[in-house]
Each structure stands twice: as structure tokens, then as C-alpha cells.
Amino acid sequence: MRRPVRPDAGPTRAAPDDPYAGIEAGDDPWIRLACAEAVESVRAGGGPFAAVLLQVDDASGAIVRHWVERNHVTQWSDPTAHAEICAIRAAARNLGVVHLGRIDQGAARLPQPGPTSHGVLYASTEPCPMCYGAIAWARIPVLVFAATRFDAAGDGVDFLDAALHDAVARPYRDRPGMVVRRAVTPGARDAFALWRESETIPY
């Protein structure tokens, strides 16, 4: 199978003040697969989003395996069932790991040719803040997306992605659509104290 495109591939065409300046990538069969799967998701009654997660061997760059997932929010009555999160859940569950940035041969449930591998995530659309957070928590080192948050918020499409990106950049008191309060309570840090003293799996 063909290797994933490097995130720095292709010429820079965006204006300097464009949020996408300097991150353009060339066309790639994996991003095409993500976009085609998003179309099929709509045809099946789901949201217009899909993701492909590759497991890539570190030494050779060969693709070991991949997972393809769609948006399942409405089918599963789960507002967190975005395509990127579904792909991360599937890969982590199949491999038996929580970090997809360095997958060790001895720790993973599934075989791989070299001692270590890593994940690369292709998304049909720029991930929302929730999905970006999930990608970061999974420690996936490479993200490639096609459509932007502004495309997702366009007339007749009307997803909240752009508004959510704007909201999380503001202080809590200035964020629209939700009242946020920080409670002052004596037990707030008790779980952290126990965590420090416990035999824990690295998060």
C-alpha cells in the first residue's frame, strides 16, 4: 500500500494570515478514501464526516493496517460519535493500547513488522475541538484533513465547528451558549493526591 503523504508536502498557497498557511499537503489516496467515506455516510443517513486511521511502521514507513470510520452521531444517539473518535476507539481497542503515537511491538495485541509504529489520522473535514482533543490525547503525531471548519459551517451545512473553535479560544466567562462555573470545594484535588500515591498506568 502507498505511504501516507508527509504533512509538509506540496506548495504553500494560502495567504500569510490564513489559518491554513504553511500546512498544505498534496493529494493522497487516504484523504480521498476519507472523503469518499463521508459521502457514503450521508447516503446511509449519517453525518457528512469520515476518518481513516493508519498504523505506520516506524522503520520502513510501510502501512501495517488501517481503520475507516464514519460519523455515527444520529445512528447511535451519541453526540461524541464523531468519525475521528470512532476511528481512535476502534484502533486503540483492537491494538490494546491507549497511545497511538508510539505503538510498541510487545504491547500491541496485533502483529507489526518492526519494534515500533505510529498512527496517522486522515479526516474528511478539519476536526472539531472535541476531536482535536481526542487526537492529542491519543498522541497521534500526524493529522491530515480536507474540508475546513468554515466549509462545515457554510450555508445549508450549518455545523458548529467554526463557532466552537472560536468559543474555546475565549475565557470561560465570554463563551456563548453555556454557563460555566468553577466550584471551590475542599475535595477538588483529592483524586490527584491518590493518583500520585498509586501504581498507575501512564495516561
Side-chain angles (χ1 to χ4, degrees):
M1 300 179 104
R2 195 172 155 188
R3 293 185 185 186
V5 164
R6 291 176 56 84
D8 58 351
T12 298
R13 293 182 296 276
D17 59 344
D18 189 305
Y20 310 108
I23 66 163
E24 293 86 352
D27 191 18
D28 183 284
W30 297 107
I31 198 65
R32 289 189 185 192
L33 176 59
C35 293
E37 192 69 17
V39 171
E40 291 306 312
S41 180
V42 175
R43 288 180 174 150
F49 306 102
V52 178
L53 199 158
L54 310 183
Q55 182 186 2
V56 181
D57 181 67
D58 286 336
S60 67
I63 296 164
V64 181
R65 58 183 57 85
H66 69 279
W67 294 263
V68 182
E69 287 289 341
R70 300 174 180 175
N71 177 286
H72 294 290
V73 168
T74 55
Q75 292 101 324
W76 297 352
S77 299
D78 181 353
T80 70
H82 290 199
E84 299 93 326
I85 289 177
C86 291
I88 291 167
R89 287 173 178 167
R93 184 171 55 249
N94 291 164
L95 292 166
V97 300
V98 295
H99 296 150
L100 298 172
R102 178 188 166 98
I103 304 161
D104 291 312
Q105 193 174 46
R109 287 190 190 129
L110 300 178
Q112 61 188 46
T116 61
S117 62
H118 67 276
V120 174
L121 194 137
Y122 284 83
S124 62
T125 303
E126 178 179 4
C128 71
M130 177 181 72
C131 292
Y132 187 87
I135 295 162
W137 278 115
R139 301 187 185 177
I140 295 170
V142 180
L143 163 67
V144 182
F145 61 84
T148 71
R149 71 184 85 163
F150 306 106
D151 297 322
D155 289 344
V157 184
D158 301 321
F159 285 91
L160 295 174
D161 298 54
L164 288 174
H165 278 279
D166 290 343
V168 297
R170 301 179 185 180
Y172 281 111
R173 63 182 175 274
D174 297 331
R175 295 183 187 183
M178 184 188 304
V179 175
V180 180
R181 296 285 183 261
R182 181 189 169 221
V184 179
T185 181
R189 294 186 292 275
D190 289 353
F192 297 136
L194 182 60
W195 176 268
R196 279 195 298 269
E197 299 163 5
S198 303
E199 297 274 335
T200 55
I201 297 172
Y203 218 74

